Amino acid sequence: MIELRGIAWNHTRGFVSVIATAQRFEERNPGVRISWEKRSLQAFADASLPELATQYDLIIMDHPHTAEAAEAGALTDFDAHLPADYLEDQASHSVGASHDSYRWKGRQWTLATDAAAPIATWRTDLLQKHGLQLPETWEDVLGLARRGHVTVSLFPVDALMHVTMFCDALGEPAFQDPEKFAGRDTVRAALDCLRELASLCPPECLERNPIRTAEFMTHTDEAAYCPFAYGYSNYSRPGYAPHLLKAGGLVRFHGRRLRSTLGGAGLGVSAHTKHLRACMDYAAFTASPEVQRGVYFQSGGQPGHRSAWVDEAVNAVSNGFFQNTLSTLDEAIVRPQYPGYMHFQDHAALVVHRYVAGHASFGKTADDLDRLCRESRNLVT
């Protein structure tokens, strides 16, 4: 009997989905047993992939870890172990840049089994109850926030991703210069956009991640609209929470639609596994279009294969979540891919969060962001 261990994250989307695919794979492959464990969403973002790879055969991971994990020899690439036409199908049916975000030095280190980016969500019933219009511009969002109807996910790493989004919207994308995060004027304007929104929302927003934000919106009637948070289709499915969320694209900022930062998750295979063939077969099974729009989605997963996002049946039971947010994911910004990037993200998230919360000066914040950019680049030189 082949026994595989996997590590995922603690939400229906990230955990129940792979439990279901493991069960179905075992039914088709009686000689294999797969046990999945889970960790918190924050641990999912923070964990050391090289360390996890010594403990698990299968790893659900975030794409910014790819370069570091590959360079450390923690993962096995898929190119030599899956058919070329299979990987070509994955690439041609990517949601946005999800598939390519797991490539490093010309090799595919992870299969994009899950796709996500910050999207807008709202409670249609509350908008109607209060006679509110769905915001179309950033000014509309601020106006709605002043009336007390807006919430947002401003947990540290989310705050950093939103600032990256605003830098792009201001015409100077972040990370273009290895010596700095972005130009000082752009960084100040981006930070102040987020700080203004934070000042108009309850302070609890500063502690909520996307899951807690969605739970808040679907279990209370205190917020009708969230302008951007990493999307979870579960909350748009009848019966999952007391109230449904409708999901859609981002508002316009300076006449152009905001572009959020790509997230999602992928399935990687440890370089230390003793059962490489079984791992590869299970990964290919989970990422296959039939499973992605079938048992994976039906069990709470948020597929990474594009065929699921345009599937009529999938959209019919998710309040149109996928078809209404696909263009937002297609437009999403991809974080830099280099081995030291996670050093920047881990520390810069706290730097940005302090400023947005009103606990740090702009000068120190900008200096720290630039310093962290340089430090992270120097880790690989």
Side-chain angles (χ1 to χ4, degrees):
M1 176 68 68
I2 293 175
E3 296 189 0
L4 305 178
R5 294 180 66 209
I7 184 71
W9 91 91
N10 187 18
H11 189 269
T12 301
R13 171 181 146 196
F15 185 64
V16 180
S17 55
V18 292
I19 290 288
T21 58
Q23 177 64 34
R24 187 69 187 113
F25 185 82
E26 290 175 6
E27 291 165 357
R28 294 176 56 172
N29 300 270
V32 179
R33 292 289 179 270
I34 305 171
S35 60
W36 281 98
E37 299 173 23
K38 57 190 176 183
R39 51 193 167 138
S40 71
L41 184 64
Q42 189 59 43
F44 169 73
D46 293 345
S48 163
L49 264 293
E51 181 179 338
L52 288 175
T54 65
Q55 304 172 44
Y56 298 96
D57 303 281
L58 301 159
I59 304 170
I60 300 296
M61 57 178 280
D62 193 8
H63 68 82
H65 291 274
T66 302
E68 180 181 354
E71 288 294 309
L75 300 175
T76 299
D77 69 278
F78 286 88
D79 302 84
H81 303 285
L82 294 184
D85 58 351
Y86 179 92
L87 292 175
E88 288 169 4
D89 174 80
Q90 292 285 308
S92 64
H93 290 90
S94 177
V95 177
S98 294
H99 180 78
D100 282 349
S101 71
Y102 296 101
R103 291 188 68 78
W104 175 247
K105 293 188 175 178
R107 294 154 77 183
Q108 192 70 33
W109 297 98
T110 308
L111 297 181
T113 51
D114 175 290
I119 57 171
T121 53
W122 59 91
R123 286 270 301 277
T124 301
D125 60 324
L126 291 182
L127 291 178
Q128 293 174 347
K129 176 182 177 180
H130 298 296
L132 304 172
Q133 296 295 315
L134 192 65
E136 296 183 0
T137 68
W138 180 240
E139 290 74 20
D140 292 341
V141 171
L142 296 178
L144 200 61
R146 292 186 183 99
R147 298 175 63 182
H149 297 292
V150 172
T151 189
V152 64
S153 171
L154 293 176
F155 199 68
V157 71
D158 298 291
L160 175 61
M161 297 301 100
H162 301 331
V163 168
T164 301
M165 171 185 71
F166 278 115
C167 285
D168 176 82
L170 289 160
E172 186 180 0
F175 307 110
Q176 300 305 297
D177 184 336
E179 295 295 313
K180 61 185 181 181
F181 181 60
R184 289 296 172 107
D185 290 345
T186 296
V187 173
R188 181 188 288 274
L191 285 165
D192 286 347
C193 282
L194 203 58
R195 192 176 193 173
E196 181 177 13
L197 179 62
S199 72
L200 298 173
C201 294
E204 292 82 4
C205 293
L206 290 162
E207 307 305 323
R208 292 194 188 115
N209 64 23
I211 294 172
R212 290 177 61 191
T213 299
E215 293 284 351
F216 174 74
M217 292 184 72
T218 55
H219 283 81
T220 77
D221 292 341
E222 297 182 37
Y225 183 79
C226 176
F228 32 73
Y230 281 95
Y232 279 71
S233 66
N234 313 83
Y235 300 94
S236 295
R237 307 188 198 191
Y240 190 76
H243 298 283
L244 279 178
L245 292 182
K246 188 69 175 177
L250 305 182
V251 298
R252 295 191 306 278
F253 180 88
H254 292 183
R256 185 166 65 96
R257 190 162 76 169
L258 289 168
R259 298 173 60 222
S260 53
T261 305
L262 188 69
L267 177 51
V269 173
S270 169
H272 305 290
T273 183
K274 297 178 181 178
H275 306 290
L276 181 58
R277 186 68 263 160
C279 287
M280 288 289 168
D281 289 345
Y282 169 71
F285 173 80
T286 300
S288 67
E290 298 79 13
V291 171
Q292 285 270 288
R293 60 178 180 260
V295 66
Y296 184 87
F297 166 74
Q298 293 159 6
S299 302
Q302 191 160 296
H305 198 280
R306 195 177 191 87
S307 65
W309 285 68
V310 298
D311 187 89
E312 291 184 4
V314 166
N315 279 284
V317 296
S318 61
N319 206 16
F321 176 94
F322 296 92
Q323 64 189 15
N324 292 335
T325 60
L326 180 57
S327 61
T328 303
L329 273 79
D330 283 342
E331 296 168 358
I333 302 162
V334 180
R335 280 167 275 183
Q337 189 68 281
Y338 61 93
Y341 171 75
M342 287 307 302
H343 172 82
F344 173 82
Q345 179 172 297
D346 290 344
H347 294 87
L350 298 174
V351 169
V352 165
H353 190 260
R354 284 193 291 270
Y355 182 83
V356 172
H359 301 319
S361 69
F362 170 72
K364 177 168 175 50
T365 300
D367 287 345
D368 285 347
L369 289 175
D370 289 349
R371 173 182 56 78
L372 289 166
C373 273
R374 293 190 296 271
E375 286 179 1
S376 69
R377 297 286 184 176
N378 290 336
L379 289 175
V380 299
T381 56

